Amino acid sequence: YLAGGRQGTRAQKNRSDVRGGGKKPWRQKGTGRARAGTIRSPLWRSGGVTFAARPQDHSQKVNRKMYRAAMRSILSELVRQERLVAVEEFSVEAPKTKQVAAKLKELNLEKV
């Protein structure tokens, strides 16, 4: 359940992402060397990575019923511990932190 917190930003270059390597380094036959199509092959130094990492999203789908059951469990636990506060209306005259802090102090919610 902590998978969604993973960053997933690692990335490497594969052979198509590496700069250069457009020209065949030597002809196909007659040199005695192994065939080579590009100098950016993963076999070569400064070539691309064979199975290059890509940025990915590690978050997982949670079924709707499971999510609702979890929320119900959390809220019922807060009620059991008498930590749930229901407020009918919460408004301040101006969007000022001092006013919001004063309003929260009235409700005994300084540590929220």
Side-chain angles (χ1 to χ4, degrees):
Y1 66 98
L2 295 173
R6 289 178 66 183
Q7 197 168 12
T9 54
R10 68 188 191 138
Q12 297 154 348
K13 290 180 171 62
N14 61 18
R15 62 186 295 162
S16 67
D17 297 329
V18 178
R19 182 179 173 174
K23 182 176 177 288
K24 203 167 163 56
W26 50 79
R27 63 181 195 265
Q28 183 82 351
K29 299 173 76 68
T31 61
R33 298 199 61 174
R35 302 180 293 187
T38 175
I39 62 169
R40 297 308 182 204
S41 163
L43 305 176
W44 286 50
R45 178 188 161 278
S46 70
V49 178
T50 305
F51 296 106
R54 291 279 168 246
Q56 52 189 324
D57 179 20
H58 294 286
S59 61
Q60 298 172 353
K61 174 184 168 282
V62 179
N63 293 332
R64 189 180 297 124
K65 286 183 179 179
M66 190 179 286
Y67 176 81
R68 287 180 178 166
M71 291 302 289
R72 192 177 305 121
S73 170
I74 291 168
L75 291 172
S76 64
E77 180 64 18
L78 288 173
V79 168
R80 190 184 70 77
Q81 294 177 359
E82 297 177 358
R83 288 172 51 202
L84 187 72
V85 178
V87 179
E88 198 155 315
E89 184 182 346
F90 191 91
S91 62
V92 289
E93 295 80 43
K96 296 285 187 181
T97 305
K98 275 187 180 179
Q99 292 181 9
V100 173
K103 198 81 156 179
L104 289 174
K105 195 167 188 173
E106 289 175 18
L107 300 168
N108 296 326
L109 296 173
E110 298 94 19
K111 296 181 182 177
V112 175

